[in-house]
Amino acid sequence: MGVAILSGVLASLESKHSINSHPQPKWESHTPGTVTPQTLDDDSLPSRFIACVSREESAKKLGAVFFNAGSLGRSVEIVCANNVQAARESNVVILWQIASTILSEPGMKDALAGKLLISILAGVTIAQLEAMVGPSTRVVRAMPNTPCKIREGMTVVSTLAPSDAHDLEREIILNIFSAIGRCRFLEEKHFDACTALSGSGPAFACIFLEAMADGGVMMGLPRAEALELAAQTLQGAARMTLQAGTHPAQLKDAVTTPGGCTIAGLLAMEDGRVRSTIARAIQVATERASELGQPAKK
């Protein structure tokens, strides 16, 4: 997920530079619901990138990934087994590995003093994180998902506590996460449900996508074309909901003619309890998310 976020931010900045240099319509390259603001102070825009890994092998692989990510990608500094130094040289730290391991490193508490710490760890609460850092470290939680890598992600960020740096920190967070999709601020109490819905959601959507393609293959369509039709159909329906504000029930009713093929298929889905099964999947995933990051029960 760390690679997905950084890749998306780099792509956004590259795209912004390209648009400024060669103005042209590029709606297809970036269609997030929350567009990165264009009139913010430079202090809120990322200008240096440090990626931390624990093994030399990972460093080499990551170096190859970012080398092929354009000029900004080549500027990414990859640090191996030196998290404290990287945190010391940063203003904003995104934590995506095991909190207890990283935050307990000697010198880490001092390195994070006065910094903004953004945790994307599922199930680890703000209270748990604050107990591992100093009082001057501002801690927020963010729950992005994997489509961030192609700048079509959904990120939920915990509401910020009042402080002198509140407005700047909000701008920094928006510049990071709205550059790679939609960004929504919600109270932390909603995070387990957000983890299930948008964090695990791409996996659930892929099950539905694969099933639609399988149905097309069963009825004679070539596999590649069936998958393309299914994927574009789901993407189109989702964008109609997000961009036009149309409720899914309205979209469904609009293509459901009396006695037609759509209503026949919908009734078959209802026979299979598809609607309740999907909703229950979100419920079970939420319950599991609430257990992540918590002490194991004896």
Side-chain angles (χ1 to χ4, degrees), residues 181-252:
R182 287 177 170 253
C183 182
R184 172 74 64 179
F185 287 86
L186 283 175
E187 294 181 38
E188 188 185 17
K189 66 181 181 181
H190 298 299
F191 261 60
D192 291 335
C194 293
T195 299
L197 185 53
S198 62
S200 301
F204 304 152
C206 284
I207 289 290
F208 193 82
L209 170 59
E210 188 178 26
M212 288 182 64
D214 284 346
V217 172
M218 181 179 180
M219 301 314 297
L221 288 176
R223 169 65 65 179
E225 284 74 7
L227 186 57
E228 180 185 14
L229 266 63
Q232 180 60 35
T233 297
L234 289 181
Q235 177 178 240
R239 283 186 169 172
M240 288 179 73
T241 297
L242 291 173
Q243 295 180 359
T246 308
H247 192 281
Q250 292 177 281
L251 295 175
K252 172 179 67 68

Side-chain angles (χ1 to χ4, degrees), residues 86-110:
R88 188 176 292 120
E89 297 179 9
S90 304
N91 294 322
V92 179
V93 176
I94 298 179
L95 179 66
W96 66 280
Q97 290 181 320
I98 302 173
S100 59
T101 300
I102 303 298
L103 299 182
S104 63
E105 292 185 18
M108 181 60 77
K109 183 176 290 188
D110 291 336

